[in-house]
Amino acid sequence: MKKVKDMDSSWKIKYPEQNIYVMRDHNWAFAAWEIARLNNEIKPGATLLHVDFHDDYCEPLEKVTKIETRDQALQIAKDLEIFEFIKAAEGTGTIKDVFMIGDYNQPPREVFHSYTYNQFENQYRMDFFKNEKESHILDLDLDFFNLHAYQGIERNYDNNPFRYSEEYIKYHLKRFKQYYVEGDWDLITVSISPEYCGGDQTSQEIFDFFLEVFELEYEKFINW
């Protein structure tokens, strides 16, 4: 596998056995969800848990209504900004209800928002998993673990990281993994987002923690 410093903007892999899609840039999550729907890995109208330092909940410049092929999904994702992919997937009907965990000053009104994982556990977990017939997606941006990820602070873009401790990061990753072990996640998408993690080194460290906790270090992956 490539190191983060060698990944270009289109880098993305999948662990087929685990149904985990990993990408450098978050706009590719749109394609992952659409391809998963086309492959019957998830059902339309999936419930999403978006865990990210940013809400990424902006309308795409051009309306997206229907995706019928893998190539179409990839092309649309390529053209999306990194903050447009959730709304785009709502437009196609692939995503229905959106839950978020992130410390946003003004969280979107249309979503079920938690500032912390504990708040999600205590307030929304039962609502999130209430319908077993729906598909459930975990969408994790690794910049969630960098306190300097706020894009409005220009000096922190691609530098000046303030990473949480290894213990803190692994603790939260294990909590997300518990639902994977219990079979509650139908799909997991992970964005590395090196610029918002504070640079290649910090994002590599967090990515390595993810691979370790989810036991993917030696698993076979494919490019997609």
Side-chain angles (χ1 to χ4, degrees):
M1 183 191 298
K2 287 184 178 180
K3 294 294 184 182
V4 170
K5 64 182 179 63
D6 298 320
M7 297 174 183
D8 61 25
S9 61
S10 64
W11 182 91
K12 50 198 179 298
I13 62 172
K14 178 186 178 182
Y15 291 91
E17 296 298 319
Q18 295 78 12
N19 221 18
I20 296 176
Y21 291 75
V22 184
M23 60 218 68
R24 183 192 189 279
D25 291 346
H26 218 157
N27 51 299
W28 295 107
F30 172 83
W33 302 338
E34 297 298 327
I35 291 170
R37 177 185 56 79
L38 292 170
N39 291 342
N40 295 314
E41 295 169 348
I42 60 170
K43 302 170 186 175
T47 302
L48 175 71
L49 177 60
H50 175 67
V51 183
D52 195 329
F53 198 94
H54 310 93
D55 61 55
D56 293 337
Y57 203 64
C58 295
E59 292 283 354
L61 188 61
E62 296 196 16
K63 191 172 181 63
V64 183
T65 58
K66 193 173 183 180
I67 299 293
E68 297 181 327
T69 67
R70 178 181 183 276
D71 288 345
Q72 185 186 10
L74 290 168
Q75 184 58 55
I76 294 294
K78 181 180 179 181
D79 294 338
L80 288 172
E81 298 289 347
I82 60 171
F83 43 77
E84 297 176 335
F85 60 95
I86 298 176
K87 282 282 193 178
E90 286 183 325
T92 65
T94 295
I95 299 299
K96 184 181 178 183
D97 292 325
V98 179
F99 292 71
M100 292 187 178
I101 303 177
D103 192 8
Y104 318 134
N105 290 329
Q106 295 181 317
R109 294 181 180 179
E110 305 94 321
V111 309
F112 303 92
H113 174 255
S114 303
Y115 286 98
T116 65
Y117 182 89
N118 284 341
Q119 183 183 358
F120 170 76
E121 279 279 309
N122 294 326
Q123 187 172 347
Y124 290 122
R125 181 175 63 87
M126 297 300 293
D127 290 331
F128 183 84
F129 287 113
K130 67 182 178 182
N131 191 338
E132 295 181 358
K133 294 182 179 180
E134 293 179 351
S135 296
H136 298 90
I137 301 172
L138 169 64
D139 178 56
L140 173 64
D141 194 319
L142 298 186
D143 73 13
F144 180 74
F145 300 112
N146 174 32
L147 282 171
H148 279 178
Y150 178 52
Q151 60 185 349
I153 304 175
E154 189 172 314
R155 67 178 181 276
N156 293 332
Y157 183 81
D158 205 22
N159 60 62
N160 195 29
F162 195 117
R163 197 202 77 189
Y164 284 106
S165 70
E166 178 178 348
E167 292 76 18
Y168 178 93
I169 295 172
K170 288 184 177 180
Y171 173 72
H172 278 73
L173 289 173
K174 287 174 182 176
R175 298 174 87 176
F176 294 129
K177 185 187 176 185
Q178 76 182 15
Y179 298 118
Y180 167 69
V181 173
E182 295 168 5
D184 292 322
W185 300 126
D186 296 284
L187 180 70
I188 297 175
T189 49
V190 179
S191 175
I192 298 174
S193 300
E195 291 86 0
Y196 295 104
C197 286
D200 293 341
Q201 179 178 342
T202 304
S203 58
Q204 184 70 61
E205 292 168 359
I206 302 173
F207 186 38
D208 288 342
F209 296 154
F210 171 79
L211 294 173
E212 178 186 341
V213 170
F214 278 78
E215 302 178 88
L216 298 173
E217 296 161 290
Y218 306 107
E219 292 292 329
K220 292 182 179 179
F221 62 85
I222 60 173
N223 296 299
W224 59 279

